[in-house]
């Protein structure tokens, strides 16, 4: 059982992580590098003169070490997501819910909402240089929000009665009604156009990668199960 | 009787691997996303920003 979970999660996590890394290079990294020009002070916004929206940016893979590490860590992160998701898939499977590639797409969407969208709704994906509350406090809020949202997703999918849906709604709302840690003052030097684009791109790429992760995890879960049966 | 025992052990052996996989996965996510040790932070910096983890 453990090897089936591990194999499915490793395959799905590595593949979806690699694609996530490539999508991030094309859509997210240029915005991040652009924002870093403001973080470092090379460009200054709100000065006397308007700043070009198209400065010279380092090209893709201009810093192989940095970009290589990003690929490795994206694959690593998505493998972590996959381990959690496939373990829960195995539990759902035991409960009699079919886990297929198609069902996996919904699993992936629920995972995206849990790990990326819900915490990001009140703690928006940050470009470098933005003002924010202490990182430890934000990490605590992030972790609690992911936990509450994850339980809510499970209740919506498998609860099956009004009480479960009500509890899920409360769990989804609570972190945002309580509120995320906020900075004391604003000091971000990055233009709002870049900040907004960064958050939108981070969410978009995250959703694509997660849906892919869910579909692949469901697919590998099935094929690994058939392989184990054939061997038995 | 025998069937019952088999069933019970099958259920027991299904929960533990799943639990272990969840712990392993959360450990990996914590390492990649949250640990502030500077070497790890620098290596995972861009990923943390792009994946919506609190970074700095």
């Amino acid at each position: 059982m453990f090897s089936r979970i591990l194999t499915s999660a490793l395959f799905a996590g590595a593949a979806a992580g690699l694609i996530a890394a490539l999508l991030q290079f094309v859509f997210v990294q240029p915005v991040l590098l652009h924002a870093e020009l403001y973080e470092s002070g090379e460009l200054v916004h709100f000065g006397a003169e308007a700043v070009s929206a198209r400065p010279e940016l380092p090209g893709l893979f201009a810093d192989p070490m940095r970009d290589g590490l990003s690929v490795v860590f994206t694959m690593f992160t998505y493998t972590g997501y996959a381990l959690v998701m496939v373990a829960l898939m195995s539990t759902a499977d035991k409960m009699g819910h079919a886990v297929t590639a198609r069902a996996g797409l919904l699993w992936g969407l629920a995972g995206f909402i849990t790990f990326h969208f819900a915490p990001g709704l009140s703690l928006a994906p940050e470009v470098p240089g933005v003002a924010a509350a202490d990182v430890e406090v934000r990490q605590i809020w992030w972790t609690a929000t992911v936990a509450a949202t994850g339980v809510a997703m499970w209740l919506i999918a498998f609860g099956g009665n009004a009480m479960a849906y009500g509890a899920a709604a409360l769990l989804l709302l609570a972190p945002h009604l309580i509120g995320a840690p906020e900075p004391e003052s604003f000091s971000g030097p990055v233009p709002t156009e870049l900040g907004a684009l960064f958050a939108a791109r981070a969410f978009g790429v995250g959703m694509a990668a997660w849906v892919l992760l869910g579909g692949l995890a469901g697919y590998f879960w099935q094929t690994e199960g058939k392989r184990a049966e054939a061997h038995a | 009787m025998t069937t019952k025992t088999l069933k019970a052990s099958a259920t027991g052996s299904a929960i533990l691997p799943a639990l272990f996989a969840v712990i392993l996965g959360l450990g990996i996510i914590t390492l990649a996303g949250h640990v502030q040790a500077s070497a790890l932070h620098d290596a995972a910096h861009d990923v943390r920003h792009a994946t919506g983890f609190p970074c700095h």
Side-chain angles (χ1 to χ4, degrees), chain A residues 194-208:
Chain A
L194 281 180
L197 182 62
F198 184 84
R201 289 271 170 93
F203 278 147
V205 166
M207 183 160 76

Side-chain angles (χ1 to χ4, degrees), chain A residues 124 144 146 171 205 224:
Chain A
V146 167
L171 283 169
V205 166
E224 284 303 304

